[in-house]
Structures are given as C-alpha cells and as structure tokens.
Amino acid sequence: MQKDVWLALLALSIYVVGGLSTFAGIGLIVMMKARDLWGLGEGRSLGYLFLCVGLSLSILGVLLMRILRNR
C-alpha cells in the first residue's frame, strides 16, 4: 500500500513539473526572443527545450498514472 502511494505521488509530480516546464517554455519563446539568459543561451532556444521536455514529462506522468490505476 505504501509503495503505491509514493508511486502515485511521483507520477503526479512528474505531470505537474511537466506542465510548469511547458508553460515556462512558451513564456520564454514569446517574451525572451533574442535575449541571452545568464550565458546559457537565447531565450527562444531554451524555451523550445523547456517546451519539448515539459510535454514529454507530462505525457510520461499521464502514462504512469494510467498504468498505476490499472494495477
């Protein structure tokens, strides 16, 4: 029982982090087009990175929740 709760919380947190990363990526793409972000790269390129990683994490979180529900 305890292991299932931790796995469910992990899946939910992955889903939430993915959503936050997705919206942060969209914000970077729109607002920080040609600005350098602390020497890490342009805002647009980091925005696309956050967008793709966020969408992947959201999909992973949903899949984990569905797998854990059907257990």
Side-chain angles (χ1 to χ4, degrees), residues 4-18:
D4 292 337
V5 172
W6 284 107
L7 289 175
L9 287 175
L10 178 68
L12 186 63
S13 65
I14 288 173
Y15 178 69
V16 169
V17 168

Side-chain angles (χ1 to χ4, degrees), residues 18-37:
L20 291 174
S21 178
T22 300
F23 284 111
I26 291 171
L28 283 173
I29 291 169
V30 171
M31 294 181 203
M32 304 289 251
K33 290 184 180 175
R35 294 186 189 169
D36 186 44
L37 293 176

Side-chain angles (χ1 to χ4, degrees), residues 58-68:
S58 292
I59 292 169
L60 177 67
V62 169
L63 287 175
L64 283 174
M65 284 188 275
R66 291 199 47 116
I67 289 170
L68 292 174

Side-chain angles (χ1 to χ4, degrees), residues 36-70:
D36 186 44
L37 293 176
W38 309 293
L40 296 173
E42 282 189 357
R44 182 178 282 175
S45 62
L46 287 174
Y48 285 125
L49 175 70
F50 283 176
L51 180 68
C52 292
V53 169
L55 288 175
S56 299
L57 285 176
S58 292
I59 292 169
L60 177 67
V62 169
L63 287 175
L64 283 174
M65 284 188 275
R66 291 199 47 116
I67 289 170
L68 292 174
R69 182 177 178 189
N70 289 332

